[in-house]
Amino acid sequence: MLDFDKCPCSGSNLDRLIQPMILMNLAQEDLYGYKIVQRIADSPMFKGNKPDGTGVYRSLKAMEQRGLVVSSWSLDNTGPAKRFYHLTNVGEECLSRWLSTLEEYRKAIGMLLEDVHKACAHTKRGKGD
Amino acid sequence: MLDFDKCPCSGSNLDRLIQPMILMNLAQEDLYGYKIVQRIADSPMFKGNKPDGTGVYRSLKAMEQRGLVVSSWSLDNTGPAKRFYHLTNVGEECLSRWLSTLEEYRKAIGMLLEDVHKACAHTKRGKGD
DNA sequence: TCTGTTATAGGAGAATATCTTATGTTAGAT
DNA sequence: ATCTAACATAAGATATTCTCCTATAACAGA
């Protein structure tokens, strides 16, 4: 029997959205990786299962190489050293582009949802045959 | 300067949704790979840029191994041989599960959209400082 | 006969994701 | 004083997924 929990239909992966989530968090204030992981984990859409920390760190590094953010080590020596990230102008533009992309995503998913609804009704009727 | 067209913010990849799209199409009628590619390409959310055929064929094969669909070569000998796929009961269940997953996706994206909206407004105000 | 469309599919490399491990700091408990 | 747990970053390795290129073959129409 198929293990539905390992099937994408269970919705475990919506990971590309971590990028705009990071940018969105950085638009509000400069943050370091660990904090971002916590913020994302606390967000309603990620309740409980926090994102892979490694992935966030790597995303941040990649974004820095692409010029979306710049980083520097924090000067306050409270706790372990933290690398703070700051959103650049390019990063802001990228984030604003995400707006229309997310709109499109939502629209696309809405349409797909409608179609799947119809299709499910269809198969249920078909079962009686 | 960053090439935004190669940035996920341009929204090229929403590919995991190809799986439910395939299932949804098969819920209506038995189809073969090439036809599914066309259907998806014609759908409003994929206008123009048709999905990679290879990917669809591989998805179908993977789905068959997981028991979501079964396939057989078409008997009518019009044109090249076609492998027709048929949705199984498991496949129907998978599709119905996609319903709630897609709802969650839509909700999550909606929330993220709101947050990004706020964040963008925030940075725009910040620019004046 | 030759070309374009239909139809399926493998190979390879790039990009992503995930799981494990390593390193070091610091706060608080024992 | 020492030990543990939480904080913080990050590399390594594997697994999965995507994408581009290529191969094969049947057929329709010029």
Side-chain angles (χ1 to χ4, degrees):
Chain A
M1 170 87 209
L2 176 68
D3 181 4
F4 278 112
D5 293 333
K6 287 183 184 171
C7 178
C9 71
S10 291
S12 45
N13 317 62
L14 199 54
D15 305 282
R16 291 236 168 66
L17 299 186
I18 275 185
Q19 222 215 72
M21 283 209 82
I22 292 174
L23 293 174
M24 183 264 291
N25 274 284
L26 289 177
Q28 293 161 1
E29 59 180 319
D30 292 359
L31 291 167
Y32 53 98
Y34 196 85
K35 200 79 182 175
I36 294 175
V37 172
Q38 288 181 320
R39 291 270 178 97
I40 294 177
D42 291 345
S43 78
M45 72 179 267
F46 260 84
K47 52 205 167 183
N49 52 346
K50 63 172 63 180
D52 184 36
T54 306
V56 171
Y57 289 123
R58 271 200 259 258
S59 277
L60 284 167
K61 204 172 211 179
M63 286 188 210
E64 181 159 34
Q65 279 170 348
R66 296 170 54 225
L68 305 179
V69 297
V70 288
S71 75
S72 56
W73 290 100
S74 78
L75 298 177
D76 63 357
N77 31 9
T78 65
K82 314 179 217 333
R83 181 185 287 280
F84 273 81
Y85 285 88
H86 174 79
L87 198 63
T88 65
N89 288 338
V90 182
E92 284 179 14
E93 190 179 340
C94 180
L95 182 57
S96 77
R97 276 170 160 252
W98 269 108
L99 272 179
S100 53
T101 293
L102 290 171
E103 284 286 11
E104 270 177 47
Y105 279 9
R106 185 162 63 168
K107 214 187 297 174
I109 289 177
M111 287 191 291
L112 181 54
L113 246 174
E114 256 185 75
D115 291 341
V116 173
H117 257 298
K118 281 181 213 154
C120 282
H122 192 274
T123 61
K124 262 164 203 154
R125 269 204 301 279
K127 268 180 187 165
D129 299 352
Chain B
M1 168 89 209
L2 176 68
D3 181 5
F4 278 112
D5 293 332
K6 287 183 183 169
C7 178
C9 71
S10 292
S12 45
N13 318 64
L14 198 56
D15 306 280
R16 293 239 166 63
L17 299 187
I18 275 185
Q19 222 214 70
M21 285 209 80
I22 292 174
L23 292 174
M24 183 265 291
N25 273 286
L26 289 178
Q28 293 161 1
E29 58 179 320
D30 292 359
L31 291 167
Y32 53 97
Y34 195 84
K35 199 80 182 173
I36 294 174
V37 171
Q38 288 180 321
R39 291 271 177 98
I40 293 177
D42 291 346
S43 77
M45 71 180 266
F46 261 84
K47 51 201 167 184
N49 50 346
K50 63 172 61 180
D52 183 38
T54 306
V56 172
Y57 289 124
R58 272 201 260 257
S59 277
L60 285 167
K61 202 172 211 182
M63 286 188 211
E64 180 159 36
Q65 279 169 349
R66 295 169 55 223
L68 305 179
V69 296
V70 289
S71 75
S72 56
W73 290 100
S74 79
L75 298 178
D76 62 357
N77 30 10
T78 65
K82 316 178 216 332
R83 180 186 286 282
F84 273 80
Y85 284 89
H86 174 78
L87 198 63
T88 64
N89 288 337
V90 181
E92 285 179 12
E93 190 180 339
C94 181
L95 182 57
S96 78
R97 275 172 159 252
W98 269 108
L99 272 179
S100 52
T101 294
L102 290 171
E103 284 287 10
E104 271 178 46
Y105 279 8
R106 184 161 66 167
K107 215 186 295 175
I109 288 176
M111 287 191 291
L112 182 53
L113 246 174
E114 258 185 72
D115 291 341
V116 172
H117 256 298
K118 281 180 212 156
C120 283
H122 191 274
T123 61
K124 262 163 203 157
R125 270 204 300 279
K127 269 181 187 169
D129 300 354

Short mmCIF file of all heavy atoms in Angstrom, two decimals, chain B residues 33-81:
data_model
loop_
_atom_site.label_atom_id
_atom_site.label_comp_id
_atom_site.label_asym_id
_atom_site.label_seq_id
_atom_site.Cartn_x
_atom_site.Cartn_y
_atom_site.Cartn_z
N GLY B 33 0.76 10.07 -22.72
CA GLY B 33 1.68 11.13 -22.31
C GLY B 33 1.67 12.38 -23.17
O GLY B 33 1.52 13.50 -22.66
N TYR B 34 1.82 12.17 -24.46
CA TYR B 34 1.91 13.31 -25.37
C TYR B 34 0.68 14.20 -25.28
O TYR B 34 0.78 15.43 -25.28
CB TYR B 34 2.08 12.80 -26.80
CG TYR B 34 2.55 13.83 -27.78
CD1 TYR B 34 3.90 14.11 -27.92
CD2 TYR B 34 1.65 14.52 -28.59
CE1 TYR B 34 4.36 15.04 -28.83
CE2 TYR B 34 2.09 15.47 -29.49
CZ TYR B 34 3.43 15.72 -29.61
OH TYR B 34 3.88 16.66 -30.52
N LYS B 35 -0.49 13.55 -25.17
CA LYS B 35 -1.74 14.29 -25.07
C LYS B 35 -1.77 15.11 -23.77
O LYS B 35 -2.22 16.26 -23.75
CB LYS B 35 -2.92 13.31 -25.09
CG LYS B 35 -4.24 13.97 -25.46
CD LYS B 35 -4.33 14.15 -26.95
CE LYS B 35 -5.61 14.85 -27.37
NZ LYS B 35 -5.57 15.14 -28.81
N ILE B 36 -1.28 14.51 -22.72
CA ILE B 36 -1.28 15.19 -21.43
C ILE B 36 -0.39 16.43 -21.50
O ILE B 36 -0.75 17.49 -21.00
CB ILE B 36 -0.79 14.24 -20.32
CG1 ILE B 36 -1.82 13.12 -20.12
CG2 ILE B 36 -0.58 14.99 -19.01
CD1 ILE B 36 -1.38 12.05 -19.14
N VAL B 37 0.74 16.28 -22.16
CA VAL B 37 1.63 17.44 -22.33
C VAL B 37 0.88 18.56 -23.04
O VAL B 37 0.93 19.72 -22.63
CB VAL B 37 2.90 17.05 -23.13
CG1 VAL B 37 3.70 18.28 -23.48
CG2 VAL B 37 3.75 16.08 -22.33
N GLN B 38 0.15 18.20 -24.08
CA GLN B 38 -0.61 19.21 -24.83
C GLN B 38 -1.68 19.86 -23.96
O GLN B 38 -1.85 21.07 -23.95
CB GLN B 38 -1.26 18.58 -26.06
CG GLN B 38 -0.27 18.25 -27.16
CD GLN B 38 -0.95 17.64 -28.36
OE1 GLN B 38 -1.89 16.84 -28.24
NE2 GLN B 38 -0.47 17.99 -29.55
N ARG B 39 -2.41 19.01 -23.23
CA ARG B 39 -3.47 19.53 -22.37
C ARG B 39 -2.89 20.54 -21.37
O ARG B 39 -3.45 21.61 -21.14
CB ARG B 39 -4.14 18.39 -21.59
CG ARG B 39 -4.96 17.45 -22.44
CD ARG B 39 -6.40 17.92 -22.56
NE ARG B 39 -7.16 17.05 -23.44
CZ ARG B 39 -7.94 16.06 -23.02
NH1 ARG B 39 -8.07 15.83 -21.72
NH2 ARG B 39 -8.59 15.31 -23.89
N ILE B 40 -1.79 20.15 -20.75
CA ILE B 40 -1.17 21.02 -19.75
C ILE B 40 -0.69 22.32 -20.41
O ILE B 40 -0.89 23.41 -19.88
CB ILE B 40 -0.01 20.31 -19.05
CG1 ILE B 40 -0.55 19.15 -18.21
CG2 ILE B 40 0.76 21.28 -18.17
CD1 ILE B 40 0.51 18.33 -17.52
N ALA B 41 -0.08 22.17 -21.59
CA ALA B 41 0.40 23.35 -22.29
C ALA B 41 -0.75 24.30 -22.63
O ALA B 41 -0.60 25.52 -22.57
CB ALA B 41 1.14 22.94 -23.56
N ASP B 42 -1.90 23.72 -22.96
CA ASP B 42 -3.05 24.54 -23.34
C ASP B 42 -3.75 25.16 -22.13
O ASP B 42 -4.52 26.11 -22.29
CB ASP B 42 -4.07 23.69 -24.12
CG ASP B 42 -3.54 23.32 -25.50
OD1 ASP B 42 -2.54 23.94 -25.91
OD2 ASP B 42 -4.10 22.41 -26.13
N SER B 43 -3.50 24.59 -20.95
CA SER B 43 -4.20 25.11 -19.77
C SER B 43 -3.76 26.54 -19.49
O SER B 43 -2.63 26.92 -19.77
CB SER B 43 -3.89 24.23 -18.55
OG SER B 43 -2.61 24.52 -18.06
N PRO B 44 -4.70 27.35 -19.00
CA PRO B 44 -4.40 28.78 -18.81
C PRO B 44 -3.14 29.03 -17.97
O PRO B 44 -2.40 29.99 -18.22
CB PRO B 44 -5.65 29.31 -18.10
CG PRO B 44 -6.41 28.11 -17.64
CD PRO B 44 -6.05 27.01 -18.55
N MET B 45 -2.87 28.17 -16.98
CA MET B 45 -1.72 28.45 -16.13
C MET B 45 -0.39 28.06 -16.73
O MET B 45 0.66 28.32 -16.16
CB MET B 45 -1.89 27.78 -14.76
CG MET B 45 -1.75 26.27 -14.76
SD MET B 45 -1.96 25.55 -13.09
CE MET B 45 -0.26 25.47 -12.52
N PHE B 46 -0.40 27.46 -17.91
CA PHE B 46 0.87 27.10 -18.55
C PHE B 46 0.99 27.71 -19.94
O PHE B 46 1.75 27.22 -20.76
CB PHE B 46 1.00 25.58 -18.67
CG PHE B 46 1.84 24.96 -17.61
CD1 PHE B 46 1.30 24.64 -16.39
CD2 PHE B 46 3.18 24.71 -17.83
CE1 PHE B 46 2.07 24.07 -15.41
CE2 PHE B 46 3.96 24.13 -16.86
CZ PHE B 46 3.41 23.82 -15.64
N LYS B 47 0.22 28.74 -20.15
CA LYS B 47 0.12 29.38 -21.47
C LYS B 47 1.47 29.50 -22.17
O LYS B 47 2.39 30.14 -21.68
CB LYS B 47 -0.49 30.76 -21.31
CG LYS B 47 0.25 31.55 -20.22
CD LYS B 47 -0.51 32.69 -19.64
CE LYS B 47 0.22 33.16 -18.38
NZ LYS B 47 -0.45 34.20 -17.66
N GLY B 48 1.54 28.87 -23.35
CA GLY B 48 2.76 29.02 -24.13
C GLY B 48 3.82 28.01 -23.78
O GLY B 48 3.99 27.02 -24.48
N ASN B 49 4.54 28.25 -22.68
CA ASN B 49 5.67 27.38 -22.36
C ASN B 49 5.19 26.02 -21.86
O ASN B 49 4.88 25.85 -20.70
CB ASN B 49 6.58 28.03 -21.33
CG ASN B 49 5.82 28.56 -20.14
OD1 ASN B 49 4.59 28.67 -20.18
ND2 ASN B 49 6.53 28.85 -19.08
N LYS B 50 5.21 25.06 -22.77
CA LYS B 50 4.72 23.73 -22.42
C LYS B 50 5.73 23.04 -21.49
O LYS B 50 6.93 23.30 -21.54
CB LYS B 50 4.47 22.91 -23.67
CG LYS B 50 5.69 22.63 -24.53
CD LYS B 50 5.34 21.63 -25.63
CE LYS B 50 4.25 22.14 -26.57
NZ LYS B 50 3.90 21.18 -27.62
N PRO B 51 5.20 22.18 -20.63
CA PRO B 51 6.09 21.48 -19.69
C PRO B 51 7.00 20.53 -20.43
O PRO B 51 6.69 20.10 -21.55
CB PRO B 51 5.11 20.71 -18.80
CG PRO B 51 3.91 20.49 -19.65
CD PRO B 51 3.82 21.71 -20.52
N ASP B 52 8.11 20.20 -19.82
CA ASP B 52 9.07 19.27 -20.43
C ASP B 52 8.42 17.91 -20.59
O ASP B 52 7.98 17.29 -19.64
CB ASP B 52 10.30 19.17 -19.53
CG ASP B 52 11.37 18.29 -20.13
OD1 ASP B 52 11.53 18.36 -21.37
OD2 ASP B 52 12.03 17.54 -19.40
N GLY B 53 8.37 17.44 -21.83
CA GLY B 53 7.73 16.16 -22.10
C GLY B 53 8.39 15.03 -21.33
O GLY B 53 7.71 14.21 -20.71
N THR B 54 9.71 15.03 -21.33
CA THR B 54 10.44 14.00 -20.60
C THR B 54 9.96 13.90 -19.16
O THR B 54 9.76 12.81 -18.63
CB THR B 54 11.94 14.32 -20.61
OG1 THR B 54 12.35 14.50 -21.97
CG2 THR B 54 12.74 13.19 -20.00
N GLY B 55 9.78 15.04 -18.55
CA GLY B 55 9.34 15.08 -17.16
C GLY B 55 7.98 14.43 -16.98
O GLY B 55 7.77 13.67 -16.04
N VAL B 56 7.08 14.71 -17.91
CA VAL B 56 5.74 14.13 -17.83
C VAL B 56 5.82 12.61 -17.99
O VAL B 56 5.21 11.86 -17.22
CB VAL B 56 4.82 14.74 -18.89
CG1 VAL B 56 3.49 14.01 -18.95
CG2 VAL B 56 4.58 16.22 -18.59
N TYR B 57 6.58 12.16 -18.98
CA TYR B 57 6.71 10.71 -19.17
C TYR B 57 7.29 10.05 -17.93
O TYR B 57 6.83 9.02 -17.49
CB TYR B 57 7.63 10.43 -20.37
CG TYR B 57 7.00 10.76 -21.70
CD1 TYR B 57 7.60 11.64 -22.59
CD2 TYR B 57 5.79 10.18 -22.07
CE1 TYR B 57 7.03 11.94 -23.81
CE2 TYR B 57 5.20 10.49 -23.29
CZ TYR B 57 5.83 11.36 -24.16
OH TYR B 57 5.25 11.65 -25.36
N ARG B 58 8.29 10.69 -17.37
CA ARG B 58 8.90 10.10 -16.17
C ARG B 58 7.95 10.12 -14.99
O ARG B 58 7.88 9.17 -14.21
CB ARG B 58 10.21 10.82 -15.84
CG ARG B 58 11.39 10.21 -16.57
CD ARG B 58 12.70 10.56 -15.89
NE ARG B 58 13.38 11.65 -16.57
CZ ARG B 58 14.42 11.47 -17.38
NH1 ARG B 58 14.91 10.27 -17.59
NH2 ARG B 58 15.00 12.50 -17.97
N SER B 59 7.20 11.20 -14.87
CA SER B 59 6.20 11.27 -13.80
C SER B 59 5.21 10.13 -13.93
O SER B 59 4.88 9.45 -12.95
CB SER B 59 5.46 12.59 -13.85
OG SER B 59 6.18 13.61 -13.21
N LEU B 60 4.73 9.94 -15.16
CA LEU B 60 3.75 8.88 -15.38
C LEU B 60 4.32 7.52 -15.00
O LEU B 60 3.66 6.71 -14.35
CB LEU B 60 3.33 8.88 -16.86
CG LEU B 60 2.38 10.02 -17.25
CD1 LEU B 60 2.28 10.15 -18.76
CD2 LEU B 60 1.00 9.78 -16.64
N LYS B 61 5.56 7.28 -15.40
CA LYS B 61 6.19 6.01 -15.08
C LYS B 61 6.30 5.83 -13.57
O LYS B 61 5.99 4.77 -13.03
CB LYS B 61 7.58 5.97 -15.71
CG LYS B 61 8.11 4.57 -15.91
CD LYS B 61 9.41 4.59 -16.71
CE LYS B 61 9.53 3.31 -17.54
NZ LYS B 61 10.81 3.29 -18.30
N ALA B 62 6.74 6.89 -12.90
CA ALA B 62 6.89 6.84 -11.45
C ALA B 62 5.54 6.60 -10.79
O ALA B 62 5.42 5.80 -9.85
CB ALA B 62 7.51 8.14 -10.94
N MET B 63 4.51 7.27 -11.30
CA MET B 63 3.18 7.10 -10.74
C MET B 63 2.69 5.67 -10.93
O MET B 63 2.00 5.14 -10.07
CB MET B 63 2.20 8.06 -11.40
CG MET B 63 2.36 9.50 -10.95
SD MET B 63 1.00 10.49 -11.62
CE MET B 63 1.79 12.06 -11.83
N GLU B 64 3.05 5.08 -12.05
CA GLU B 64 2.63 3.70 -12.27
C GLU B 64 3.31 2.77 -11.26
O GLU B 64 2.68 1.89 -10.69
CB GLU B 64 2.96 3.26 -13.69
CG GLU B 64 2.53 1.82 -13.97
CD GLU B 64 2.37 1.53 -15.45
OE1 GLU B 64 3.16 2.07 -16.24
OE2 GLU B 64 1.45 0.76 -15.81
N GLN B 65 4.60 3.01 -11.04
CA GLN B 65 5.31 2.18 -10.06
C GLN B 65 4.72 2.33 -8.66
O GLN B 65 4.78 1.42 -7.85
CB GLN B 65 6.80 2.54 -10.05
CG GLN B 65 7.58 1.88 -11.18
CD GLN B 65 8.99 2.43 -11.33
OE1 GLN B 65 9.32 3.43 -10.72
NE2 GLN B 65 9.79 1.77 -12.13
N ARG B 66 4.14 3.50 -8.40
CA ARG B 66 3.55 3.73 -7.08
C ARG B 66 2.08 3.34 -7.05
O ARG B 66 1.42 3.49 -6.02
CB ARG B 66 3.73 5.20 -6.70
CG ARG B 66 5.21 5.57 -6.53
CD ARG B 66 5.39 7.07 -6.41
NE ARG B 66 4.59 7.59 -5.34
CZ ARG B 66 3.87 8.71 -5.42
NH1 ARG B 66 3.84 9.41 -6.53
NH2 ARG B 66 3.19 9.12 -4.39
N GLY B 67 1.59 2.86 -8.15
CA GLY B 67 0.24 2.32 -8.16
C GLY B 67 -0.87 3.34 -8.36
O GLY B 67 -2.04 3.02 -8.18
N LEU B 68 -0.51 4.55 -8.74
CA LEU B 68 -1.52 5.58 -8.93
C LEU B 68 -2.21 5.44 -10.28
O LEU B 68 -3.36 5.87 -10.44
CB LEU B 68 -0.90 6.97 -8.84
CG LEU B 68 -0.12 7.28 -7.56
CD1 LEU B 68 0.46 8.68 -7.61
CD2 LEU B 68 -1.01 7.14 -6.34
N VAL B 69 -1.50 4.88 -11.23
CA VAL B 69 -2.05 4.69 -12.57
C VAL B 69 -1.62 3.32 -13.11
O VAL B 69 -0.67 2.73 -12.59
CB VAL B 69 -1.57 5.78 -13.55
CG1 VAL B 69 -2.06 7.16 -13.12
CG2 VAL B 69 -0.05 5.78 -13.68
N VAL B 70 -2.33 2.85 -14.09
CA VAL B 70 -1.88 1.66 -14.84
C VAL B 70 -1.87 2.04 -16.32
O VAL B 70 -2.62 2.91 -16.74
CB VAL B 70 -2.78 0.44 -14.62
CG1 VAL B 70 -2.60 -0.10 -13.21
CG2 VAL B 70 -4.23 0.80 -14.88
N SER B 71 -1.01 1.37 -17.09
CA SER B 71 -0.87 1.75 -18.49
C SER B 71 -1.01 0.53 -19.40
O SER B 71 -0.80 -0.61 -18.97
CB SER B 71 0.48 2.41 -18.72
OG SER B 71 1.50 1.44 -18.72
N SER B 72 -1.36 0.82 -20.63
CA SER B 72 -1.37 -0.24 -21.65
C SER B 72 -1.24 0.42 -23.02
O SER B 72 -1.66 1.56 -23.20
CB SER B 72 -2.67 -1.03 -21.56
OG SER B 72 -3.77 -0.15 -21.68
N TRP B 73 -0.65 -0.30 -23.96
CA TRP B 73 -0.50 0.25 -25.30
C TRP B 73 -1.86 0.29 -25.97
O TRP B 73 -2.69 -0.62 -25.79
CB TRP B 73 0.46 -0.62 -26.12
CG TRP B 73 1.87 -0.50 -25.63
CD1 TRP B 73 2.54 -1.38 -24.83
CD2 TRP B 73 2.77 0.57 -25.90
NE1 TRP B 73 3.80 -0.91 -24.58
CE2 TRP B 73 3.99 0.28 -25.22
CE3 TRP B 73 2.69 1.76 -26.64
CZ2 TRP B 73 5.09 1.12 -25.26
CZ3 TRP B 73 3.80 2.60 -26.68
CH2 TRP B 73 4.97 2.27 -26.00
N SER B 74 -2.07 1.33 -26.75
CA SER B 74 -3.35 1.46 -27.42
C SER B 74 -3.47 0.43 -28.53
O SER B 74 -2.47 0.05 -29.15
CB SER B 74 -3.50 2.87 -28.00
OG SER B 74 -2.77 2.98 -29.20
N LEU B 75 -4.68 -0.04 -28.77
CA LEU B 75 -4.90 -1.08 -29.78
C LEU B 75 -5.18 -0.47 -31.15
O LEU B 75 -4.79 -1.03 -32.17
CB LEU B 75 -6.06 -1.98 -29.35
CG LEU B 75 -5.77 -2.71 -28.04
CD1 LEU B 75 -6.96 -3.56 -27.62
CD2 LEU B 75 -4.52 -3.58 -28.17
N ASP B 76 -5.84 0.65 -31.17
CA ASP B 76 -6.05 1.29 -32.47
C ASP B 76 -4.69 1.65 -33.05
O ASP B 76 -3.83 2.18 -32.38
CB ASP B 76 -6.91 2.55 -32.32
CG ASP B 76 -6.25 3.60 -31.45
OD1 ASP B 76 -5.15 3.33 -30.91
OD2 ASP B 76 -6.83 4.69 -31.28
N ASN B 77 -4.49 1.29 -34.31
CA ASN B 77 -3.20 1.63 -34.89
C ASN B 77 -3.28 2.86 -35.77
O ASN B 77 -2.93 2.85 -36.93
CB ASN B 77 -2.59 0.44 -35.65
CG ASN B 77 -3.67 -0.44 -36.23
OD1 ASN B 77 -4.85 -0.08 -36.24
ND2 ASN B 77 -3.28 -1.57 -36.75
N THR B 78 -3.76 3.92 -35.17
CA THR B 78 -3.70 5.23 -35.83
C THR B 78 -2.49 5.96 -35.29
O THR B 78 -2.42 6.22 -34.10
CB THR B 78 -4.96 6.05 -35.52
OG1 THR B 78 -4.98 6.34 -34.13
CG2 THR B 78 -6.21 5.31 -35.90
N GLY B 79 -1.57 6.23 -36.14
CA GLY B 79 -0.37 6.95 -35.70
C GLY B 79 0.56 6.06 -34.90
O GLY B 79 0.33 4.85 -34.76
N PRO B 80 1.63 6.66 -34.38
CA PRO B 80 2.61 5.92 -33.58
C PRO B 80 1.94 5.30 -32.36
O PRO B 80 0.89 5.76 -31.91
CB PRO B 80 3.61 6.99 -33.15
CG PRO B 80 3.42 8.11 -34.11
CD PRO B 80 2.00 8.06 -34.52
N ALA B 81 2.54 4.24 -31.81
CA ALA B 81 1.98 3.57 -30.64
C ALA B 81 1.88 4.55 -29.48
O ALA B 81 2.80 5.33 -29.24
CB ALA B 81 2.86 2.39 -30.26
#
